[in-house]
Amino acid sequence: MKRFIIICIVVFGVVVGGFNIYLNEFVHRNYVQLIINNEDIITTAWVEGDKIYQVNDNQELEEVFIKGVNIGLGKPNSFPGEVSITQSEYLNWFQNIHDLGANFIRVYTLQSPDFYQALFDFNMLSDKPLYLIQGAYMNEDYINEYNDVFNPKIEEDFKTEIKNVIDAVHGNANIDKRVGHAYGRYTSDVSKYTSMMILGIEFSGDTVTNTNLKNPNKIKYDGNYLHTENATPFEVFLAQHGDYAITYETTTYNKQTIIGFANWPTSDPLEHPNEPEDMNKMMGFNVEHIIKNDSYICGMVASYHVYPYYPDFMNFENQATYLSSSPTNPYQDYLKRLNNIHAIPVLISEYGVPTSRGTTHIDLTRGYNQGGLSEQAQGDAIISLTKDIQDAGMCGAIIFSWQDEWFKRTWNTMELTEPDGRPNWHDVQTSETSFGLTAFDPKKDELISTHLSKNDINLTIESDAEYLTIEIKKDNLDIEKDQFDIFFDTTNSSGFTSLNQFEFTQPFDFYLKVDGKKNTELFVDPYYDNFSYLFGTQLNLSLPLLKETSYSSRELNSIRLRLRNRIYIPSSDTTLEPSYYTTGNFLYGPIDTKDENYNSLNDFYTDGDTLTIQIPWLLLNFSDPSQGMILDDFYENYSPYEAGMQMKSKKIDSFTIGIRNNDQIDYLEVPLKNWDEVEYTERLKSSYYIVKDVWSNE
């Protein structure tokens, strides 16, 4: 069906050419015209009370619960600013999103002309249109530099973004090339499918507070379509730019759209006395202080990004206390608190959990963690969280996100990877890279294949943009009886030279102990343990500050990953020590995506006489495997460590692997293959089908 629709779109475009605008209006007349101030104003949706009403094909109003997905600009091999997603890719995505049962898509900023053309073409022939929530982004570099949204550079840039996205959705823009932004000639009018604009980004409490302190006299705004009451300077800024958007679209196109402003718990208007991070309990903003005038027919929504594991008050604050009810579900209770302070509709415009192998934050209630979840668990969590959102009385839920985005970073791994290389490999240890319902599976390349006669083993080593994969074939292989010791030397400058009284002819940095389905683990030499270096001071660890030139035997470290720094909980006057977990433990189970029992978290598996082990690159301290970059010597490069400092890397062309079985060891030099572009295939995750089973039947 998907291919049929795409083929029809292409053929139809060739045959009818300029008649597509007429047909689009004929198929979907999802707009109405109202007379406001003696002018005909078109709209597709508006707010009444705490509900959103959408104009359907029969030009009738119907209440709508938004079920949507967020689409980013990232895909393998490119950063978002390169705007490299093609029209055909968008058409495929829109068909899959439609089949999912979603009725809305949201984007954060101006997209390429291909995006709007694809949306126009898809809706032209689809039985049900996909509606658009268009974002207008703010320049984060400017915000980080000036930390005051009234700075002229920030204001000018934001207004340019607002104007450009409005012109783009109306198919009336010719935007010059700008580095890091979409540009081009926009001719596809999708305004009749554009129901809402969400302006801005996730603002930090520091930015809100600093803006208010620097602009104490800016506390009142009275515009064409919006005004303020009891507003802070930051809220006045939002009102001004919301009014600018409404004014520009109304006067230029006789069209009005629902307006919202991006927000999240860090800048919400609620009190969070048990939030341990000062930055997350600073002054927020309340869109209820921005009031629509009668001339603005659409109305406003309160938009929030809300996840069950962050900020920490989600775990350590009893939300039900504020609701005069018994504790039930901290996530849903928080949503109810949000809903209770708003008279306008509340939209949860981001929520979800990632399928990354690595974990970043923990949900102590239900285990809906930021990472460490299978694709099955991701789907189940999304359905559960959607129900929380509906039961709390919100007007919609938009999943984050449609596709995995390899370029992203996360606080507990960001120092360890090369920023410029992130789009070229999928760091499965970094949670932010794996929120998507769509995965990108990279193609494998063989590095070496050989027969180890002493151990009677056929060995194959492969690499791809996610893993270093080791395949061992041995007659009568028994994973519970055959123990393999695998050693890796990448640094060629430090490491251990003996283990359990077994002496090596060269030092190794890592040791993979393959010992049955439940006891297989990767260990690291203490000198090359990035966790100890980054986190050692907080944990009072004994650090190996000097290389031991004799490389004498020493106790190896488990590979660990940070979850939380030391925090203080005010209500109980309690200090909680830093939290971390062992990420070097390997999980046994099917690793082939075509296996019906496939689990994205599995690390190794046996099939007959073949053992296959896949090792995430970051576990071996590769900072950019696409270019053979590994973390360089921590202690020679910098001491002491400073938070946020980028770790230095060095390039290697090969590494040494040692395999011991039955007290014999083979040494192999493994060459590395670099790549500038990843070959990959798209795959809908199991979570997609779980959500589809529910959403498409509602």
Side-chain angles (χ1 to χ4, degrees):
M1 182 64 180
K2 176 174 66 177
R3 292 179 181 174
F4 174 75
I5 288 180
I6 294 172
I7 292 171
C8 286
I9 288 172
V10 173
V11 173
F12 188 84
V14 172
V15 174
V16 301
F19 293 102
N20 57 2
I21 296 177
Y22 170 78
L23 180 60
N24 179 263
E25 294 184 356
F26 177 77
V27 174
H28 295 303
R29 295 186 61 84
N30 56 323
Y31 62 95
V32 294
Q33 287 183 253
L34 301 174
I35 298 177
I36 305 295
N37 294 337
N38 296 318
E39 290 186 295
D40 289 335
I41 303 297
I42 295 173
T43 188
T44 63
W46 63 80
V47 168
E48 287 188 13
D50 61 353
K51 307 296 183 185
I52 292 178
Y53 291 85
Q54 183 86 30
V55 181
N56 63 23
D57 293 348
N58 298 320
Q59 294 185 290
E60 298 170 339
L61 279 176
E62 58 183 15
E63 183 185 338
V64 61
F65 180 83
I66 293 173
K67 295 186 298 183
V69 292
N70 287 278
I71 302 178
L73 280 167
K75 75 172 189 178
N77 302 314
S78 61
F79 282 101
E82 297 174 66
V83 197
S84 58
I85 303 170
T86 66
Q87 184 175 340
S88 62
E89 286 174 318
Y90 279 126
L91 281 170
N92 279 319
W93 290 2
F94 294 158
Q95 183 63 54
N96 287 326
I97 292 169
H98 168 278
D99 295 344
L100 179 71
N103 51 11
F104 279 78
I105 54 176
R106 178 196 176 201
V107 294
Y108 296 92
T109 186
L110 179 69
Q111 307 294 292
S112 68
D114 282 349
F115 169 86
Y116 301 100
Q117 183 66 56
L119 182 61
F120 181 94
D121 290 345
F122 178 81
N123 281 344
M124 182 174 61
L125 290 182
S126 176
D127 56 339
K128 290 183 180 179
L130 286 173
Y131 296 101
L132 175 64
I133 298 176
Q134 174 67 56
Y137 214 64
M138 292 184 70
N139 190 313
E140 291 186 85
D141 291 335
Y142 286 162
I143 290 175
N144 291 334
E145 180 178 357
Y146 302 110
N147 208 26
D148 173 11
V149 294
F150 283 105
N151 180 276
K153 284 189 176 181
I154 294 176
E155 288 202 271
E156 180 182 355
D157 188 82
F158 193 28
K159 286 183 176 179
T160 299
E161 166 81 354
I162 291 170
K163 178 183 181 297
N164 284 345
V165 297
I166 291 173
D167 288 339
V169 300
H170 284 274
N172 182 38
N174 194 357
I175 299 172
D176 292 337
K177 184 175 181 178
R178 301 175 301 157
V179 176
H181 296 269
Y183 63 92
R185 188 164 178 261
Y186 295 78
T187 60
S188 302
D189 186 352
V190 296
S191 61
K192 295 183 179 68
Y193 304 108
T194 306
S195 301
M196 185 184 302
M197 288 185 62
I198 296 180
L199 312 180
I201 61 174
E202 294 178 339
F203 298 101
S204 73
D206 183 55
T207 297
V208 176
T209 300
N210 197 58
T211 296
N212 291 337
L213 291 175
K214 284 189 172 183
N215 303 276
N217 297 322
K218 296 178 179 179
I219 55 174
K220 185 71 176 176
Y221 179 75
D222 191 4
N224 297 319
Y225 299 97
L226 299 176
H227 67 276
T228 61
E229 294 180 4
N230 303 315
T232 64
F234 189 87
E235 291 160 353
V236 166
F237 170 86
L238 296 180
Q240 287 177 349
H241 290 79
D243 191 61
Y244 171 78
I246 300 165
T247 300
Y248 182 75
E249 187 174 36
T250 302
T251 57
T252 308
Y253 299 106
N254 289 85
K255 166 80 164 38
Q256 289 188 357
T257 305
I258 296 172
I259 290 287
F261 301 97
N263 203 351
W264 60 325
T266 291
S267 300
D268 71 19
L270 298 170
E271 294 292 327
H272 300 293
N274 246 15
E275 168 55 42
E277 296 287 343
D278 289 340
M279 190 67 70
N280 290 337
K281 58 182 178 183
M282 298 178 76
M283 183 177 292
F285 65 89
N286 190 346
V287 294
E288 296 287 344
H289 297 158
I290 304 171
I291 315 298
K292 83 177 194 71
N293 299 340
D294 291 340
S295 54
Y296 178 38
I297 60 177
C298 291
M300 297 174 57
V301 299
S303 170
Y304 291 93
H305 303 168
V306 187
Y307 296 86
Y309 45 73
Y310 182 82
D312 283 318
F313 72 73
M314 288 289 189
N315 283 318
F316 300 110
E317 192 167 278
N318 186 354
Q319 302 295 321
T321 300
Y322 305 96
L323 301 170
S324 300
S325 61
S326 59
T328 53
N329 173 341
Y331 182 76
Q332 187 183 99
D333 289 341
Y334 171 72
L335 297 179
K336 289 178 179 177
R337 286 185 66 196
L338 274 182
N339 204 43
N340 287 348
I341 64 168
H342 288 295
I344 60 178
V346 181
L347 172 66
I348 303 305
S349 47
E350 273 192 23
Y351 73 110
V353 291
T355 59
S356 56
R357 186 184 184 278
T359 303
T360 305
H361 291 105
I362 296 294
D363 166 25
L364 295 178
T365 305
R366 293 179 289 183
Y368 295 163
N369 304 328
Q370 188 177 0
L373 298 177
S374 68
E375 293 176 8
Q376 171 80 31
Q378 181 192 40
D380 293 340
I382 288 172
I383 292 302
S384 177
L385 294 170
T386 306
K387 188 175 186 303
D388 290 340
I389 293 167
Q390 291 173 314
D391 290 348
M394 275 45 183
C395 70
I398 307 179
I399 297 169
F400 183 82
S401 60
W402 174 245
Q403 80 273 31
D404 285 348
E405 296 183 295
W406 294 3
F407 74 92
K408 289 198 167 179
R409 61 183 186 173
T410 303
W411 79 275
N412 61 351
T413 59
M414 57 189 289
E415 302 101 331
L416 308 175
T417 59
E418 287 291 301
D420 291 342
R422 287 173 185 151
N424 294 330
W425 65 293
H426 185 201
D427 178 14
V428 297
Q429 290 295 108
T430 293
S431 60
E432 285 290 328
T433 67
S434 303
F435 271 93
L437 296 177
T438 298
F440 303 103
D441 295 330
K443 177 179 176 280
K444 291 186 181 299
D445 283 319
E446 185 178 288
L447 297 178
I448 192 171
S449 182
T450 187
H451 179 74
L452 306 180
S453 57
K454 288 188 295 183
N455 291 318
D456 196 24
I457 288 172
N458 287 310
L459 176 72
T460 301
I461 301 176
E462 297 178 320
S463 69
D464 64 27
E466 291 179 323
Y467 303 102
L468 178 73
T469 300
I470 298 174
E471 183 181 273
I472 297 173
K473 292 185 178 180
K474 180 182 179 183
D475 289 342
N476 302 313
L477 179 71
D478 187 334
I479 190 62
E480 297 298 348
K481 293 181 180 179
D482 290 315
Q483 179 174 323
F484 298 94
D485 294 329
I486 306 176
F487 306 93
F488 304 86
D489 174 31
T490 57
T491 63
N492 196 30
S493 62
S494 61
F496 56 94
T497 56
S498 65
L499 182 71
N500 300 329
Q501 300 182 338
F502 192 91
E503 299 293 330
F504 307 115
T505 59
Q506 68 178 83
F508 287 104
D509 303 297
F510 298 93
Y511 163 45
L512 177 60
K513 178 184 177 183
V514 182
D515 184 16
K517 296 178 180 179
K518 296 184 178 179
N519 299 307
T520 294
E521 185 176 353
L522 183 68
F523 299 89
V524 62
D525 178 67
Y527 188 82
Y528 202 40
D529 180 9
N530 64 69
F531 172 86
S532 294
Y533 180 76
L534 296 171
F535 220 31
T537 302
Q538 283 200 46
L539 297 173
N540 298 316
L541 298 177
S542 177
L543 303 181
L545 297 179
L546 297 174
K547 269 191 270 192
E548 297 180 20
T549 55
S550 63
Y551 302 127
S552 60
S553 177
R554 48 187 178 242
E555 183 114 357
L556 302 184
N557 287 353
S558 293
I559 298 178
R560 294 155 290 181
L561 200 57
R562 297 169 290 168
L563 292 173
R564 188 193 66 236
N565 293 322
R566 183 179 289 111
I567 59 174
Y568 173 71
I569 307 299
S571 65
S572 58
D573 190 24
T574 302
T575 297
L576 298 180
E577 290 305 305
S579 176
Y580 58 92
Y581 77 103
T582 299
T583 189
N585 290 328
F586 275 30
L587 184 65
Y588 181 85
I591 56 179
D592 185 347
T593 57
K594 297 178 182 177
D595 191 307
E596 62 180 11
N597 296 312
Y598 166 74
N599 183 334
S600 56
L601 302 180
N602 289 339
D603 300 297
F604 70 116
Y605 191 58
T606 53
D607 184 4
D609 292 338
T610 302
L611 166 65
T612 304
I613 309 163
Q614 54 185 25
I615 306 171
W617 288 108
L618 194 62
L619 291 191
L620 296 173
N621 281 353
F622 275 83
S623 58
D624 179 5
S626 74
Q627 302 302 312
M629 303 296 288
I630 63 169
L631 294 179
D632 205 351
D633 192 304
F634 315 146
Y635 301 99
E636 285 189 358
N637 284 319
Y638 25 67
S639 184
Y641 169 75
E642 296 179 8
M645 180 172 63
Q646 186 67 44
M647 307 283 274
K648 294 182 180 179
S649 298
K650 70 175 182 179
K651 183 175 177 59
I652 61 173
D653 297 318
S654 64
F655 65 92
T656 301
I657 186 171
I659 298 183
R660 184 177 69 167
N661 180 241
N662 299 325
D663 294 325
Q664 299 183 70
I665 189 165
D666 289 281
Y667 296 90
L668 294 169
E669 189 73 11
V670 181
L672 287 169
K673 287 186 178 180
N674 297 162
W675 64 87
D676 294 317
E677 187 166 300
V678 182
E679 292 184 49
Y680 64 90
T681 56
E682 284 187 23
R683 175 177 57 83
L684 296 172
K685 296 181 183 178
S686 300
S687 51
Y688 169 88
Y689 297 100
I690 292 170
V691 176
K692 178 182 176 182
D693 284 345
V694 177
W695 279 22
S696 63
N697 291 307
E698 289 180 336

